[in-house]
């Protein structure tokens, strides 16, 4: 993902904007829907001709995990280190029954080389669309206390090795060997919760699938993708050529309604595949002592342009999915940010997933003028470079969030630090949602 450098001047401007956008710094969990009509008579029956923004909330960019370690020492940013671990870069979300979301931060600051001091974490966030704010209510870190990772991790030998060879940034000292995982170890980009309460993460360095318990502790060794390696894969042998570009691993991860399988979508093409075609692997989850395995089958999702990327991929039912496809533009250069309804039954028999435009995030009806002082336009636009989260609220409402690439700028102004925005979007027609996928 593209990362933008923030200047000191932009910090001050962003702080003023964040205050204007958010009001109170902490919001209660008193409202998780917008002021729109909500489910009921006339909702989702085709009375609206187009998708409509029905709820909006924002998390200021400079939000940090309370009591957390300083971070950003390896970024080279003039304003680093930051006072803690930023609550940022949401790359996957899971809605709970009370309207709270589990929101997973990505690997930190964009690359393996600058995210050593960013601890991988899943946050609990509570959007209040009435107040327009997002409260952070805790969460958990990812860790490897059972030594499932064969490679050296940053907080258990990697830092000491770097200190003895390349050296460490001024002011940074090696943390305790506590087996916490960082953005140097894995680049997590997608997440699903299984019916047994365990978590599955898709990541990009391998690319691997990671399996943890509800406290983020790895339960088994990272599961590699058969025949696919990125340049950051720790098992890449001397002279071996990677066949997947860096940062093009599992950006999408859908779980089946019965919770027995995953559909894992790469963000970029495997070498030899057409540049517009992304693989969506079929993965059967282990049960009763049987191991999790790639079945050997995969579907193909075709991008509208080889310059595009996907941001998320979740299931609606056994055959349909929601997929975010986006360009790499931000702010004034953003043009293509869309959500497609995708079907694996291939009714046109072209060998690829069928897709139908569901929501254009650059042209979203906003009659209630939601979006704060800089986004309350009709139509509403969502011009962030990386929009990486979509979730089902109910059969005719979806939630969408962005990855703000902290401390990136440009979405709402050239020198304005990007925030995390939460959107609720009412659809004109109900999706054929399998109820088992709602607020598991």
């Amino acid at each position: 993902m593209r990362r933008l450098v923030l200047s000191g001047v932009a910090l001050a401007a962003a702080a003023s904007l964040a205050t204007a956008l958010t009001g109170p710094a902490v919001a209660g969990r008193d409202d998780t829907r917008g002021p729109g009509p909500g489910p009921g008579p006339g909702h989702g029956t085709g009375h609206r001709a187009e998708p409509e923004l029905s709820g909006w909330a924002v998390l200021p960019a400079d939000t940090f995990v309370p009591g957390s370690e300083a971070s950003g020492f390896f970024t080279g940013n003039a304003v680093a280190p930051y006072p803690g671990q930023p609550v940022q870069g949401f790359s996957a979300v899971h809605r709970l029954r009370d309207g709270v979301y589990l929101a997973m931060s990505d690997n930190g600051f964009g690359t393996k080389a600058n995210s050593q001091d960013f601890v991988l974490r899943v946050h609990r966030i509570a959007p209040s669309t009435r107040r327009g704010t997002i409260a952070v209510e805790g969460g958990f870190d990812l860790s490897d206390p059972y030594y499932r990772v064969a490679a050296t991790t940053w907080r258990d030998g990697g830092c000491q090795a770097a200190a003895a060879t390349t050296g460490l940034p001024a002011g940074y000292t090696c943390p305790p060997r506590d087996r916490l995982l960082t953005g140097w170890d894995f680049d997590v980009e997608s997440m699903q919760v299984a019916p047994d309460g365990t978590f599955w993460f898709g990541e990009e360095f391998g690319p691997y699938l990671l399996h943890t318990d509800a406290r983020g502790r790895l339960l088994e060794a990272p599961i590699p993708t058969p025949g696919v390696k990125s340049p950051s894969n720790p098992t890449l042998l001397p002279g071996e050529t990677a066949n997947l570009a860096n940062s093009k691993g599992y950006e999408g991860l859908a779980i089946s309604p019965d919770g027995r399988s995953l559909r894992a979508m790469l963000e970029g093409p495997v070498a030899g595949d057409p540049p517009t075609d992304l693989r969506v692997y079929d993965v059967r989850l282990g049960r009763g002592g049987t191991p999790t395995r790639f079945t050997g089958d995969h579907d193909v999702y075709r991008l509208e342009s080889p310059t595009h990327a996907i941001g998320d991929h979740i299931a609606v039912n056994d055959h349909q999915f929601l997929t975010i496809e986006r360009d790499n533009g931000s702010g004034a250069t953003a043009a293509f940010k869309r959500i497609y309804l995708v079907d694996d039954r291939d009714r046109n028999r072209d060998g690829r997933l069928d897709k139908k435009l569901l929501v254009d995030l650059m042209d979203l009806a906003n009659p209630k003028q939601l979006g704060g002082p800089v986004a309350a336009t009709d139509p509403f636009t969502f011009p962030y470079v990386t929009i990486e989260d979509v979730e089902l609220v109910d059969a005719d409402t979806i939630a969408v969030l962005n990855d703000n690439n902290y401390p990136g700028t440009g979405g709402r102004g050239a020198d304005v630090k990007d925030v995390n925005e939460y959107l609720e979007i009412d659809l004109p027609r109900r999706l054929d949602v399998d109820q088992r996928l709602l607020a598991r």
Side-chain angles (χ1 to χ4, degrees), residues 97-157:
R97 292 185 184 278
D98 58 1
V100 169
Y101 288 77
L102 299 176
M104 183 204 74
S105 292
D106 66 10
N107 82 315
F109 304 111
T111 70
K112 181 182 178 76
N114 67 9
S115 298
Q116 296 93 321
D117 57 9
F118 185 88
V119 177
L120 302 180
R121 185 171 175 83
V122 175
H123 307 274
R124 288 176 57 91
I125 64 170
S128 172
T129 55
R130 186 176 69 182
R131 296 183 181 182
T133 58
I134 299 173
V136 181
E137 301 188 340
F140 59 85
D141 299 325
L142 272 60
S143 63
D144 183 31
Y146 311 127
Y147 290 82
R148 307 301 190 194
V149 180
T152 300
T153 59
W154 179 255
R155 295 174 78 102
D156 196 8

Side-chain angles (χ1 to χ4, degrees), residues 27-326:
R29 197 167 60 246
D30 58 351
D31 180 33
T32 57
R33 287 196 50 77
H43 184 72
T45 59
H47 290 197
R48 286 187 316 280
E50 56 188 348
E52 180 180 307
L53 184 65
S54 61
W56 179 89
V58 67
L59 181 73
D62 293 320
T63 303
F64 301 92
V65 177
S68 60
E69 302 171 3
S71 65
F73 284 93
F74 296 85
T75 63
N77 196 312
V79 298
Y82 312 120
Q85 298 282 310
V87 179
Q88 59 95 326
F90 297 145
S91 286
V93 295
H94 175 79
R95 189 173 189 270
L96 304 177
R97 292 185 184 278
D98 58 1
V100 169
Y101 288 77
L102 299 176
M104 183 204 74
S105 292
D106 66 10
N107 82 315
F109 304 111
T111 70
K112 181 182 178 76
N114 67 9
S115 298
Q116 296 93 321
D117 57 9
F118 185 88
V119 177
L120 302 180
R121 185 171 175 83
V122 175
H123 307 274
R124 288 176 57 91
I125 64 170
S128 172
T129 55
R130 186 176 69 182
R131 296 183 181 182
T133 58
I134 299 173
V136 181
E137 301 188 340
F140 59 85
D141 299 325
L142 272 60
S143 63
D144 183 31
Y146 311 127
Y147 290 82
R148 307 301 190 194
V149 180
T152 300
T153 59
W154 179 255
R155 295 174 78 102
D156 196 8
C159 182
Q160 289 77 11
T165 54
T166 59
L168 301 174
Y172 181 79
T173 58
C174 288
R177 292 180 179 246
D178 52 15
R179 302 299 294 173
L180 292 180
L181 298 173
T182 77
W184 188 84
D185 305 313
F186 297 105
D187 183 358
V188 289
E189 295 286 352
S190 49
M191 174 184 73
Q192 285 294 342
V193 183
D196 63 1
T198 62
F199 284 67
W200 287 91
F201 298 89
E203 77 89 49
E204 297 195 314
F205 287 166
Y208 295 114
L209 295 178
L210 307 179
H211 187 202
T212 78
D213 64 14
R215 294 172 59 185
R217 300 175 298 192
L218 274 179
L219 295 173
E220 54 188 299
I223 301 171
T225 306
V228 178
K229 291 183 180 181
S230 87
S232 296
N233 189 304
T235 69
L236 200 67
L237 300 173
E240 184 180 7
T241 301
N243 57 359
L244 181 70
N246 265 327
S247 195
K248 292 298 181 181
Y250 292 123
E251 195 74 38
L253 192 66
I255 192 166
S256 62
D258 63 10
R260 296 185 180 183
S261 63
L262 299 171
R263 298 290 183 88
M265 183 190 281
L266 298 175
E267 187 180 10
V270 175
D273 291 351
T276 54
D277 288 3
L278 308 181
R279 297 185 184 185
V280 187
Y281 289 96
D282 181 30
V283 182
R284 301 296 169 86
L285 299 182
R287 300 181 68 213
T290 62
T292 295
R293 63 183 180 88
F294 285 75
T295 66
D297 295 331
H298 69 265
D299 291 322
V300 175
Y301 176 91
R302 170 151 285 188
L303 297 167
E304 297 299 296
S305 166
T307 64
H308 289 177
I310 66 109
D312 206 354
H313 180 72
I314 67 167
V316 174
N317 52 51
D318 280 322
H319 296 288
Q320 292 181 311
F321 306 83
L322 299 181
T323 303
I324 299 175
E325 184 176 336
R326 61 170 180 82

Side-chain angles (χ1 to χ4, degrees), residues 404-421:
N404 72 333
N405 295 321
Y406 185 85
T409 61
R412 297 296 186 192
D415 294 321
V416 176
K417 192 182 297 186
D418 290 344
V419 295
N420 283 111
E421 295 185 35

